[in-house]
C-alpha cells in the first residue's frame, strides 16, 4: 500500500493509496475522525473501511487532514478539512481519469466532511456515514441529499445520541429519489469498542448489496 504525499490547499497532505488494476474502477475516499481528539487515517475503523473497499477492487485513498501526521497546515474547524477532502478526490481522479464514479466513507467528524463533499461532487454515488454527530455538527446542507447511502451507529453512543441521529435519518427519509439505509448496532458506543468487526461486516454487506444494484433508487446519473 503506497504511502503518498499530494498537494492540498494548505500544503502537502499525507495519505495511503491503493489503486485498482481496473482503469475504470470506482474510487473510494475514507475520512478520519476529529483531528483534535486523536483522529488520524490510521484509526482502526478508517483502516478497516479502507480495506473493505480495496478488497472490492476500488481505487482507495485515506489521508490525514491538515495538521495531522505529515500533513501540513492547521486545524480549520471543518472548512479547510472539506477543502482537503476535495483536493484528495481531485488527486485520485487525476490519476484515474477513466473512473466514472466515487464513494465516500467517513467516521464521526469524517462523516460530516464526507456528507459535505457529497453535496459538491456529483460523481459521488454512494456514502457510508459511521456515527455521524448531528447534535454537534450542522447537517442542514443535505437539502436535498443527492445520493443513497448508509448511516450506521450504536444505540449506546453518548457522543452522538441515537435520538439525534434518528432525527437526521427521518429527515433524509422524506426526500425523494434516494434510499437511506440505517443500521443500529446494539450496545455499541461511539468508538465501537467491542463491535468494530460487526460494524465493518454491516458496512461490507451494505456495499455488496449496492454493487449488486440494490438499496438505491434508479435515477439519472448526475453530471459533474
Amino acid at each position: 500500500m503506497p504511502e503518498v504525499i499530494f498537494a492540498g490547499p494548505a500544503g502537502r497532505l499525507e495519505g495511503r493509496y491503493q489503486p485498482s488494476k481496473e482503469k475504470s474502477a470506482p474510487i473510494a475516499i475514507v475520512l478520519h475522525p476529529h483531528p483534535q481528539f486523536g483522529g488520524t487515517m490510521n484509526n482502526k475503523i478508517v483502516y478497516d473501511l479502507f480495506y473493505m473497499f480495496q478488497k472490492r477492487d476500488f481505487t482507495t485513498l485515506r489521508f490525514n487532514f491538515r495538521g495531522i501526521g505529515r500533513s501540513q497546515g492547521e486545524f480549520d474547524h471543518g472548512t479547510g478539512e472539506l477543502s482537503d477532502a476535495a483536493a484528495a478526490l481531485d488527486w485520485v481522479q487525476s490519476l484515474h481519469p477513466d473512473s466514472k464514479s466515487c464513494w465516500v466513507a467517513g467516521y464521526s467528524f469524517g462523516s460530516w466532511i464526507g456528507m459535505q463533499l457529497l453535496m459538491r461532487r456529483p460523481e459521488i454515488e454512494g456514502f457510508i456515514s459511521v456515527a455521524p454527530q448531528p447534535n454537534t455538527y450542522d447537517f442542514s446542507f443535505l437539502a436535498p441529499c443527492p445520493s443513497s447511502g448508509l448511516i450506521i451507529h450504536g444505540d449506546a453512543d453518548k457522543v452522538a445520541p441515537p435520538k439525534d441521529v434518528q432525527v437526521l435519518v427521518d429527515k433524509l427519509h422524506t426526500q425523494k429519489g434516494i434510499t437511506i439505509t440505517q443500521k443500529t448496532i446494539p450496545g455499541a458506543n461511539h468508538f465501537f469498542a467491542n463491535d468494530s468487526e460487526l460494524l465493518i461486516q454491516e458496512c461490507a454487506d451494505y456495499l455488496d448489496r449496492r454493487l449488486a444494484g440494490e438499496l438505491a433508487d434508479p435515477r439519472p446519473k448526475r453530471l459533474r
Side-chain angles (χ1 to χ4, degrees), residues 3 50 90 115 120 124 191 199 213 216:
E3 178 180 327
F50 177 95
D90 287 341
M115 298 295 269
R120 289 159 172 76
I124 297 178
F191 307 99
L199 168 70

Side-chain angles (χ1 to χ4, degrees), residues 131-189:
Q133 295 172 256
N135 55 313
T136 302
Y137 305 115
D138 182 4
F139 281 83
S140 63
F141 57 82
L142 293 169
C145 177
S147 299
S148 298
L150 171 67
I151 293 178
I152 183 165
H153 59 116
D155 71 0
D157 191 332
K158 293 180 179 175
V159 178
K163 65 180 176 56
D164 295 299
V165 178
Q166 193 63 52
V167 170
L168 172 62
V169 171
D170 290 345
K171 178 184 171 187
L172 293 176
H173 275 323
T174 67
Q175 299 185 12
K176 296 187 170 111
I178 60 167
T179 302
I180 300 299
T181 301
Q182 179 185 20
K183 291 283 183 180
T184 307
I185 298 181
N189 62 19

Side-chain angles (χ1 to χ4, degrees), residues 43-222:
N43 171 276
K44 177 171 171 35
I45 289 169
V46 171
Y47 180 90
D48 289 345
L49 287 168
F50 177 95
Y51 272 99
M52 178 192 75
F53 282 108
Q54 190 246 316
K55 285 175 187 173
R56 286 155 180 81
D57 210 26
F58 280 67
T59 286
T60 311
L61 174 72
R62 69 186 202 270
F63 70 96
N64 279 327
F65 288 125
R66 57 185 62 198
I68 297 298
R70 294 168 62 198
S71 291
Q72 295 177 320
E74 297 179 356
F75 178 67
D76 193 34
H77 306 281
T79 303
E81 287 72 20
L82 175 57
S83 297
D84 293 343
L89 183 51
D90 287 341
W91 179 77
V92 181
Q93 288 177 330
S94 73
L95 298 177
H96 299 271
D98 294 326
S99 180
K100 299 295 187 288
S101 68
C102 177
W103 278 64
V104 62
Y107 171 28
S108 192
F109 173 85
S111 73
W112 181 54
I113 301 299
M115 298 295 269
Q116 292 179 77
L117 185 66
L118 178 79
M119 294 296 294
R120 289 159 172 76
R121 302 299 285 262
E123 65 272 28
I124 297 178
E125 64 178 28
F127 70 86
I128 294 175
S129 186
V130 178
Q133 295 172 256
N135 55 313
T136 302
Y137 305 115
D138 182 4
F139 281 83
S140 63
F141 57 82
L142 293 169
C145 177
S147 299
S148 298
L150 171 67
I151 293 178
I152 183 165
H153 59 116
D155 71 0
D157 191 332
K158 293 180 179 175
V159 178
K163 65 180 176 56
D164 295 299
V165 178
Q166 193 63 52
V167 170
L168 172 62
V169 171
D170 290 345
K171 178 184 171 187
L172 293 176
H173 275 323
T174 67
Q175 299 185 12
K176 296 187 170 111
I178 60 167
T179 302
I180 300 299
T181 301
Q182 179 185 20
K183 291 283 183 180
T184 307
I185 298 181
N189 62 19
H190 193 66
F191 307 99
F192 299 91
N194 299 307
D195 302 284
S196 61
E197 285 187 19
L198 178 56
L199 168 70
I200 298 302
Q201 180 184 324
E202 291 282 8
C203 292
D205 288 347
Y206 174 79
L207 181 58
D208 288 340
R209 291 184 68 184
R210 280 292 301 274
L211 295 175
E214 302 176 39
L215 301 177
D217 285 5
R219 59 192 172 88
K221 183 74 180 165
R222 293 186 295 154

